[in-house]
Amino acid sequence: METITHQRTRRHSTRAGVSWTVWARVRGQRFRFHTIDISSRGVKLRPKGELIPGTPLLLQFIKPDGQRVRVSSMIWRVDSDGLAVLFLGPAPKGLLG
């Protein structure tokens, strides 16, 4: 008898692997990150510093064409490979397209 297993995911949107510079304002301080991947609901960032889930961030993405896009967000989870960040509201126009 053959058993088939399906891996279940809670992701609601696809992710795009991109490497962009991101500046974040956290409690009055400015931090520099790089994206690992991005979706319409959030982004995965390579971390610098000690940040905890629930911390609000104001992100400014710098896309390869030089366009700057701002979005309010919060740290959702801290993983071994980076910070999972959830956008507060829809992704701004110009971020993914």
Side-chain angles (χ1 to χ4, degrees), residues 56-93:
L57 305 170
L58 177 59
L59 301 177
Q60 182 180 45
F61 292 87
I62 302 173
K63 295 176 62 172
D65 64 1
Q67 180 184 11
R68 294 172 185 258
V69 181
R70 290 189 176 150
V71 61
S72 294
S73 61
M74 74 169 206
I75 298 173
W76 184 252
R77 194 177 66 241
V78 178
D79 297 336
S80 62
D81 66 336
L83 300 173
V85 177
L86 179 68
F87 297 148
L88 301 177
K93 287 188 176 206

Side-chain angles (χ1 to χ4, degrees), residues 9-16 37-44 59 61 71-77 83-92 95-96:
T9 181
R10 292 186 287 179
R11 287 191 187 106
H12 297 276
S13 53
T14 59
R15 293 180 173 192
D37 58 41
I38 191 168
S39 75
S40 62
R41 302 184 111 199
V43 64
K44 186 85 170 248
L59 301 177
F61 292 87
V71 61
S72 294
S73 61
M74 74 169 206
I75 298 173
W76 184 252
R77 194 177 66 241
L83 300 173
V85 177
L86 179 68
F87 297 148
L88 301 177
L95 183 61
L96 299 172

